[in-house]
Amino acid sequence: MENDQATPGIKTTLRRVVPAALLRERQIIVRLGPNAGGIYARLRLLDSLGVRPQAAAVGPQTRSVVFVCFGNIMRSPMAEALFRRAARAANLPDVQVSSAGLHAIPGSGPHPWALAASSELGVPLAELLTRYPQAKSKLLMVTAFLEGARRGREIADPYFGNLDTTRACYAMLQTCIGAFTDELVTSRTVCSRGIARSKTPAG
């Protein structure tokens, strides 16, 4: 009985002493479980130390791109739509694109804020690494193509925000998708020049 009464007291004391952000991180780690939670904790530690991933290299052989977020109702569908448009403009008709959510509910459509924000524009890494370790070399955050402090950081889910936070999210996505598309076009251009040179007769 004393232990039952002591436990809430300890939790209350911890909440007063430990920063709220740290408690939230702990909840995420616990929710993810030992495998994904461990990966998430390592990524967050590296991030807090200022360790950012180098700009990702997209190979010229890239023919399929899947954008993944939590529920596939806001970020990833918009990333898909943005990349479809960018791929058309960059003459990349052979690249297939789709979106998915780690916790998507079948039949759920885009969030109303997503539709509103997208009409004005004219889409969790740890779980992916745990579920598909064999695809580690193919998994990257779309922010890996940004420069500075935003590189390699998750784009915050605007689900619990408002229309303005959704617009900000999509503006960042647009920047990321543009950089990703440029990287893909550049890799193909470099590859095609290399092939052309190898076919040129010597002398």
Side-chain angles (χ1 to χ4, degrees):
M1 191 69 163
E2 288 181 6
N3 287 341
D4 291 340
Q5 293 174 348
T7 302
I10 293 171
K11 288 182 180 178
T12 302
T13 303
L14 283 175
R15 285 192 190 102
R16 290 179 187 155
V17 178
V18 179
L22 194 58
L23 291 174
R24 281 195 301 272
E25 293 295 341
R26 181 187 174 280
Q27 289 173 345
I28 293 170
I29 292 168
V30 169
R31 179 183 60 79
L32 289 173
N35 293 330
I39 294 170
Y40 176 83
R42 183 177 63 81
L43 292 172
R44 291 296 290 155
L45 176 62
L46 291 173
D47 182 68
S48 68
L49 295 173
V51 178
R52 300 281 185 274
Q54 296 300 313
V58 179
Q61 73 284 357
T62 301
R63 296 291 182 272
S64 178
V65 178
V66 180
F67 294 99
V68 181
C69 69
F70 188 88
N72 198 29
I73 60 171
M74 298 188 84
R75 291 170 293 176
S76 55
M78 189 58 191
E80 177 187 353
L82 289 170
F83 183 69
R84 281 186 191 281
R85 185 174 67 183
R88 279 196 303 271
N91 195 26
L92 298 170
D94 60 330
V95 180
Q96 297 180 348
V97 60
S98 60
S99 63
L102 286 169
H103 302 279
I105 300 171
S108 294
H111 193 280
W113 292 337
L115 295 174
S118 64
S119 67
E120 294 174 7
L121 286 173
V123 133
L125 183 61
E127 290 181 272
L128 277 173
L129 289 170
T130 303
R131 292 187 189 190
Y132 308 102
Q134 72 281 5
K136 182 177 180 180
S137 64
K138 297 180 181 180
L139 297 175
L140 54 97
M141 297 185 83
V142 74
T143 55
F145 300 94
L146 296 178
E147 294 298 327
R150 296 185 303 172
R151 188 177 69 210
R153 287 190 169 177
E154 183 180 6
I155 295 176
D157 191 345
Y159 183 79
F160 295 105
N162 54 33
L163 183 54
D164 287 337
T165 57
T166 305
R167 288 188 183 118
C169 168
Y170 289 169
M172 185 179 289
L173 272 174
Q174 192 166 31
T175 301
C176 295
I177 297 301
F180 171 71
T181 306
D182 290 345
E183 178 75 16
L184 182 53
V185 170
T186 300
S187 70
R188 289 192 175 189
T189 303
V190 169
C191 181
S192 63
R193 286 179 184 164
I195 292 171
R197 286 196 194 102
S198 69
K199 291 181 177 177
T200 304

